Amino acid sequence: MKDTLRKRILVTGGAGFLGSHLCESLLGLGHDVLCVDNFFTGSKDNILHLLGNPHFELLRHDVTFPLYVEVDEIYNLACPASPIHYQFDPVQTTKTSVHGAINMLGLAKRVKAKIFQASTSEVYGDPEVHPQTEDYVGHVNPIGPRSCYDEGKRCAETLFFDYRRQHNLSIKVARIFNTYGPRMHPNDGRVVSNFIVQALKGQPITLYGDGEQTRSFCYVSDLIDGFIRLMDSPDDLTGPINLGNPGEFTIRQLAEKIIAMTGSSSKLVYQPLPVDDPRQRRPDIGLAKEKLGWEPRIPLEEGLVHTIAYFDDLFRRGLA
């Protein structure tokens, strides 16, 4: 790529599940990538294959502290995203969302960079509107055990739009729905990784409640394509914009599918539903289709093949 087209792009949380795939894609497009991570949930294993690339740079840093670098674009992905991890230190989770947003927005303001916020479908809480559209303001408990993440991400969105209004900053906000694929943390407690790990080990598969709550599952390559399309869209398209797969499955259907695909002897076991766990979750992606020409292409079964293979390889090599 000619230097006039090559961008200097900062990815916070770049050694995480989503961040590592984003770094890989941006390098493939010919850009210089600065990966920033404090390695609370990220892993060097996710980016080992990128370290030899002369256009890739890795920096250990916590976004709750200011960062002074020169970049053209910022993707702010830094935040633990699974309940096990974000509830481990809920105060730090809120600080990462809020202080991290303030610091990255301050950096973007100083260097006049375009900035992308990885928000979440959790801003909708336990929704009373189905499927969820971007104009739905949510049904969120501000004092529950999940609120450190839910409200932290909601506040980050507030900050992004206030920086837009007050400082005319170029912002992009994506609301991410359940995403899965290779490089998920094997112990992150998310439903896809949980079920695959339990199935491969022949352990009972844990369902919460009656297993009839629904989720939509987007394969990671589809999501990253949505990120890049949104970042490259005209400045007047700020979002928020839903990015996820509108295919809807019950948790029990997912468990049964994974048992069948792994040939596992695992049985289903049931435990009480966690506090504030959403009963339904499915994105309305009409805006993404219209404005970005984006929709997921990888069906659940195809994505699970790749994800199961990834975890199976981890176990065979004794890495999980």
Side-chain angles (χ1 to χ4, degrees):
M1 177 179 283
K2 294 180 181 179
D3 286 344
T4 53
L5 300 177
R6 188 186 301 279
K7 297 174 186 173
R8 301 165 300 173
I9 302 178
L10 166 62
V11 179
T12 72
F17 163 46
L18 297 181
S20 62
H21 284 278
L22 177 59
C23 288
E24 193 174 63
S25 294
L26 293 172
L27 288 168
L29 291 170
H31 301 300
D32 287 322
V33 175
L34 172 58
C35 169
V36 167
D37 208 296
N38 70 349
F39 295 103
F40 174 61
T41 58
S43 169
K44 284 185 181 176
D45 289 337
N46 289 338
I47 52 169
L48 278 178
H49 63 298
L50 304 178
L51 293 177
N53 189 317
H55 296 287
F56 180 76
E57 187 177 357
L58 173 62
L59 175 65
R60 183 187 289 266
H61 180 82
D62 189 319
V63 297
T64 60
F65 297 93
L67 179 63
Y68 300 98
V69 292
E70 304 300 318
V71 294
D72 304 306
E73 292 182 353
I74 302 166
Y75 285 85
N76 186 37
L77 275 61
C79 190
S82 71
I84 284 177
H85 290 146
Y86 67 62
Q87 291 177 21
F88 175 77
D89 187 345
V91 172
Q92 184 63 25
T93 295
T94 304
K95 287 173 68 177
T96 300
S97 287
V98 178
H99 291 190
I102 290 170
N103 288 329
M104 290 305 106
L105 286 161
L107 172 61
K109 178 188 171 189
R110 181 180 72 82
V111 300
K112 297 180 172 57
K114 187 187 302 186
I115 183 167
F116 173 103
Q117 169 66 5
S119 192
T120 172
S121 61
E122 299 297 339
V123 300
Y124 298 122
D126 186 5
E128 297 173 320
V129 170
H130 191 75
Q132 291 80 61
T133 54
E134 289 88 352
D135 59 358
Y136 175 54
V137 296
H139 177 229
V140 179
N141 177 2
I143 59 171
R146 299 168 66 103
S147 59
C148 59
Y149 184 69
D150 301 1
E151 296 288 23
K153 288 289 192 178
R154 286 165 67 93
C155 186
E157 286 196 13
T158 299
L159 287 162
F160 266 69
F161 281 91
D162 281 338
Y163 264 79
R164 169 75 172 180
R165 286 184 284 261
Q166 191 169 339
H167 302 295
N168 199 32
L169 205 62
S170 179
I171 67 166
K172 306 289 180 179
V173 177
R175 289 176 177 166
I176 303 166
F177 285 69
N178 288 54
T179 305
Y180 70 101
R183 301 185 203 146
M184 294 184 82
H185 195 292
N187 300 312
D188 66 5
R190 299 190 208 192
V191 64
V192 173
S193 50
N194 253 14
F195 287 1
I196 291 175
V197 167
Q198 290 171 332
L200 289 174
K201 291 183 174 181
Q203 298 172 342
I205 289 185
T206 309
L207 276 68
Y208 294 95
D210 58 8
E212 290 302 309
Q213 63 270 45
T214 65
R215 295 291 185 272
S216 302
F217 302 102
C218 185
Y219 190 64
V220 62
S221 62
D222 283 331
L223 185 76
I224 299 304
D225 176 48
F227 281 9
I228 294 171
R229 286 178 186 239
L230 178 55
M231 185 63 111
D232 291 344
S233 65
D235 278 355
D236 60 356
L237 181 62
T238 59
I241 192 162
N242 290 337
L243 294 177
N245 194 317
E248 187 175 12
F249 299 87
T250 69
I251 299 302
R252 183 188 291 121
Q253 285 175 324
L254 176 68
E256 291 169 346
K257 191 179 293 288
I258 288 173
I259 289 172
M261 292 179 70
T262 56
S264 176
S265 59
S266 295
K267 305 298 182 186
L268 303 182
V269 296
Y270 295 85
Q271 292 189 6
L273 198 65
V275 175
D276 298 326
D277 193 55
R279 293 159 296 172
Q280 291 181 303
R281 183 62 57 72
R282 176 163 70 93
D284 181 311
I285 61 168
L287 191 59
K289 285 183 179 180
E290 177 190 350
K291 300 295 186 181
L292 304 177
W294 178 88
E295 61 182 316
R297 295 175 294 176
I298 307 295
L300 180 60
E301 292 79 3
E302 181 181 340
L304 286 176
V305 168
H306 300 303
T307 311
I308 290 167
Y310 169 77
F311 281 108
D312 191 43
D313 180 63
L314 284 186
F315 292 137
R316 290 179 188 277
R317 293 189 290 137
L319 299 177

